Each structure stands twice: as C-alpha cells, then as structure tokens.
Amino acid sequence: MHDSDIQDQQRDQRHVARMQRKKALIDARIAEASAERGLLLVNSGNGKGKSSAAFGMLARALGHGLKAGVVQFIKGAATTGEEAFFRRFPDEVRYFVMGEGFTWETQNRQRDIEKAEAAWAVARELLGDPQIALVILDELNIALKHGYLPLERVLADLAARPPMQHVVITGRGALPGLIEAADTVSDIALVKHAFQAGVKAQKGVEF
Amino acid sequence: MHDSDIQDQQRDQRHVARMQRKKALIDARIAEASAERGLLLVNSGNGKGKSSAAFGMLARALGHGLKAGVVQFIKGAATTGEEAFFRRFPDEVRYFVMGEGFTWETQNRQRDIEKAEAAWAVARELLGDPQIALVILDELNIALKHGYLPLERVLADLAARPPMQHVVITGRGALPGLIEAADTVSDIALVKHAFQAGVKAQKGVEF
C-alpha cells in the first residue's frame, strides 16, 4: 500500500469518528427540542436577504399546504417580482401592499403615520385569523423605528394571535423590545454588495 | 397654538429636511450604479435564512417571468416545503435534490465526495444554459468547506457562466476565496433561535 493511500484511509477514519461524535450531539439536542408553537421571527440588519428570506419561508409554507398573509409596509417604485409571483395564488396567499414609498421619498411624516396605521389595521386582521399559518410583515421594522406605530400596541396584537400562527417581521433597525419578544432573530450583515461596485438594482435580484 | 402643536410642527419640519438630504444622497448613489450583469451572491453565517433568502429570490425571479435552476447539495430527512412548492412549476424551475443527507448522517467521506461530484455535474449543466437566469446552489458551501469539491474548479465554472446569469450559493462557512469572487455577500448571524428554547423544527419554518 502506498503512503498516500494510508494517509487517505486515516483521514477517512478520523472523518467517521468526528461525524459519529457530531451525530450523537445533534441527535441529543433534537430529542430535547420537543415543543411546537407559532413563532415570531425577525430578520434585521443592513445586508441583503431580510425580505427574501421571509418570502422563501412563504414558498416553504405553501409547499406544506398552509395558507399565508403578507403586508408590505413600504412600497417600492416598481411592482416587485415577489408580489407578481405570489398574487398568482389568491386562494393561498392574501397579499397587501400598503405603504406609499420609502420615508425619504414621501418626506411627509403625518402621511407616513396614517399609512402605517392603515397597514397595521390589515395586519391585525391577518393576525386574528387562525386559518392563516404564516403572516409576513415586510419592512414593519422601518415603521417601528420611525415611531409611526407604537411598539407596545404591535407587541400586544402579536401576543394575542392564534397560538400556532408564525409571524415574520423584516427590516433594518429592529427595536430591542421586538428582539426580546421574538423566538428567532437573524441579523443579516452586509459583507459586500454589488451596488457598492456600481451595479444597479436588477430584477430577480433586488426586486 | 399649543406648545405641543408647535413641537409637532417643528418635528415634522426637521423630518422633511432630513428626508430631503437622505433622498439627494440616495438618488446620487443610484444614478452612479448603472452597470448590469449576472451576479454571484453568497448567503453564509450561522443564523436562519440562508436558504430561505435564496428561495425568496427564486420567487422574485419567477414573478418577472425568468427561468431558474436549483441544485440542493444536502438533502434533509424530510421533503422540504420549498421543494414541494417549486416542483409545481416544472416549465420554469429545474429542481434537483442531489445530496444524501448531512455529513454527520452519512459518516462516509468517499460517498459524500462522489455525491458532491454528481451534484456539481448537474450544477455545471445549469451554469452552461443561458436560458436560465438564476441558479441556486443550496448548501454548496458545506461541500466546499469539507473539501468534497475543489474551490478552483467551482470558481472556474462560475466564471465561465453566461454573463447575465445570477447565482446564489448558500451554506455556513463560505470559503474566503468564494467571498472574494462574489458580488454580494450576506453574513446571517444567529441572534437567537427558537431551537435553543426547546422548540422543534416545524414545517413552514425550518423545512
């Protein structure tokens, strides 16, 4: 047998031993996690993927035959691909685009507050419907950060939702009180972005 | 006029001034970013949302009438919601689940390498098809991190793809060489996870 063959064999054996230890640890942790309940998930941070991750979960939920609702608190200039796509399934997804634009486009605090209140009224309806397994509140963090909606009221309505309903909230600058109330929180950091290299927002990627 | 009304008015005026400055800055940056090209995106980190964000982009691309391809390098125990959902659209999405399980489940390095090679052969086919606007290589980072596929070969095949094709690569532990080659990189940090509080993986959320 060649030296290199022996080395390969030793490497494979070490791999098996390491993976056996890992499997034992992971299996034990999975056995411990036995609770099931509706989760509150928050996707925040400055990187790309906060809303995309919510819409990936939406696809996932639809694949399991679940029903879902979406409220977009900030409407971009163009109709988004996700809106065009998920509107294909009106029996499975209730889809609402409520905001009027980014805060620096509207430049009108009173109107932004009115729009946020109207969006929350729709969100409350979804949060009151036990038939809806997943509610996405896209860019709600922006409305909370600017004080367009009071966090206490939002948290109270979230706490009163059906026990098995999952909620995903997205947007930069999640408030500490929301993070505390959440079950799963991802902070998506920007390592780099094509925009920094002069690439414009492209369909299928950014919208 | 009450003091509080005056304060509200001043607050609104400051808001307008701040938003006008912000709009000018953002508009200038958007005007500078004029290039269009196929992007290489990487979603890495220990937090939840790496694959979900890729599948959200898939929904977005389909909403724009684009075609896409998916290769999943690691197959979980159960059929995922995303697989069940996106297989509804065979004319728009080519969907391949190639892996056999997590590395600690197979415990067989040679078989993992063979599976990774077979998955890469399928990925190369998608990367060679200019009709496909978006290719998702889900959990490829795991295969690269374990050395099941040589990074140099993967980077060469990525560089040779059609110029307008977007690629999303997901998984923990993205290699530095891949991050360097990528256009947009998100590092998804785990702030907290329901699993840590004893909640099991639930359909529509984790799979």
Side-chain angles (χ1 to χ4, degrees):
Chain A
M1 213 177 196
H2 287 295
D3 277 3
S4 64
D5 288 342
I6 295 171
Q7 280 171 2
D8 275 0
Q9 222 175 48
Q10 288 174 337
R11 188 180 183 188
D12 287 352
Q13 284 165 356
R14 282 197 305 272
H15 177 83
V16 169
R18 202 166 56 235
M19 290 301 131
Q20 282 176 343
R21 285 195 301 273
K22 186 163 182 174
K23 179 170 164 57
L25 278 172
I26 290 174
D27 286 351
R29 284 178 58 197
I30 289 173
E32 275 169 31
S34 56
E36 284 190 294
R37 65 166 186 262
L39 298 181
L40 175 60
L41 301 101
V42 175
N43 298 339
S44 196
N46 296 323
K48 174 176 168 49
K50 299 179 285 292
S51 296
S52 312
F55 288 107
M57 272 186 61
L58 176 50
R60 187 169 278 176
L62 296 181
H64 289 294
L66 303 171
K67 291 190 192 304
V70 177
V71 182
Q72 295 197 283
F73 281 76
I74 307 273
K75 181 188 175 350
T79 301
T80 59
E82 59 268 28
E83 181 185 352
F85 182 68
F86 287 112
R87 282 201 192 278
R88 289 194 204 168
F89 318 100
D91 295 339
E92 295 162 271
V93 185
R94 298 188 63 193
Y95 204 109
F96 302 90
V97 180
M98 300 295 294
E100 222 182 339
F102 283 99
T103 49
W104 56 89
E105 293 291 350
T106 61
Q107 299 179 5
N108 184 325
R109 187 175 161 80
Q110 286 312 318
R111 202 170 63 193
D112 284 350
I113 289 174
E114 286 159 24
K115 294 284 170 185
E117 286 287 354
W120 189 250
V122 172
R124 281 197 69 186
E125 201 187 311
L126 299 175
L127 293 170
D129 183 350
Q131 300 301 311
I132 295 181
L134 173 67
V135 177
I136 295 177
L137 304 173
D138 189 42
E139 304 287 9
L140 172 60
N141 284 336
I142 306 292
L144 291 170
K145 185 175 68 170
H146 285 284
Y148 298 163
L149 288 171
L151 179 63
E152 299 66 36
R153 192 143 53 83
V154 166
L155 290 179
D157 289 339
L158 288 170
R161 76 189 192 276
M164 284 310 297
Q165 188 183 66
H166 305 299
V167 177
V168 189
I169 294 173
T170 78
R172 294 179 184 213
L175 295 182
L178 181 66
I179 290 173
E180 199 179 320
D183 298 288
T184 295
V185 179
S186 295
D187 185 80
I188 305 187
L190 180 80
V191 178
K192 60 166 134 172
H193 198 293
F195 185 65
Q196 297 163 329
V199 178
K200 69 193 284 190
Q202 296 174 100
K203 67 181 179 184
V205 180
E206 272 87 17
F207 64 92
Chain B
M1 212 175 195
H2 287 294
D3 276 5
S4 63
D5 288 342
I6 295 173
Q7 280 171 3
D8 275 358
Q9 221 175 48
Q10 288 174 338
R11 189 180 182 187
D12 286 353
Q13 284 165 357
R14 282 197 306 272
H15 177 82
V16 170
R18 204 167 53 234
M19 291 300 132
Q20 282 175 342
R21 285 194 301 273
K22 185 162 183 174
K23 179 170 165 55
L25 277 172
I26 290 174
D27 286 352
R29 285 178 58 197
I30 289 172
E32 276 168 31
S34 56
E36 284 191 293
R37 64 166 186 262
L39 298 182
L40 176 58
L41 300 101
V42 174
N43 298 341
S44 196
N46 296 325
K48 173 174 169 49
K50 299 179 285 293
S51 296
S52 312
F55 288 106
M57 273 187 60
L58 176 50
R60 186 168 277 175
L62 296 181
H64 288 294
L66 302 171
K67 290 189 192 305
V70 178
V71 182
Q72 294 197 283
F73 281 76
I74 307 272
K75 181 187 174 353
T79 302
T80 59
E82 59 268 30
E83 181 184 353
F85 183 68
F86 287 112
R87 282 202 192 277
R88 291 194 204 170
F89 318 100
D91 295 339
E92 295 163 271
V93 185
R94 298 188 63 193
Y95 205 109
F96 301 91
V97 180
M98 300 294 295
E100 221 182 340
F102 282 98
T103 50
W104 57 87
E105 292 291 348
T106 62
Q107 299 179 4
N108 184 325
R109 187 175 160 78
Q110 286 312 318
R111 200 169 63 191
D112 283 350
I113 289 173
E114 285 159 25
K115 294 284 170 184
E117 286 287 353
W120 189 250
V122 172
R124 280 197 69 186
E125 202 187 311
L126 300 175
L127 293 170
D129 183 350
Q131 300 301 311
I132 295 181
L134 172 67
V135 177
I136 294 176
L137 304 173
D138 187 43
E139 302 289 8
L140 171 60
N141 284 336
I142 306 293
L144 290 170
K145 184 175 70 170
H146 285 285
Y148 298 163
L149 288 170
L151 179 64
E152 299 67 34
R153 191 143 54 83
V154 166
L155 290 180
D157 290 339
L158 288 170
R161 76 188 192 277
M164 284 309 298
Q165 188 182 68
H166 304 301
V167 177
V168 189
I169 294 173
T170 78
R172 292 178 186 214
L175 295 181
L178 181 67
I179 291 173
E180 200 179 319
D183 297 289
T184 295
V185 179
S186 294
D187 185 79
I188 305 187
L190 180 79
V191 177
K192 60 166 133 170
H193 198 293
F195 186 64
Q196 297 164 330
V199 178
K200 68 193 284 192
Q202 295 175 101
K203 69 180 179 185
V205 180
E206 273 86 17
F207 63 92

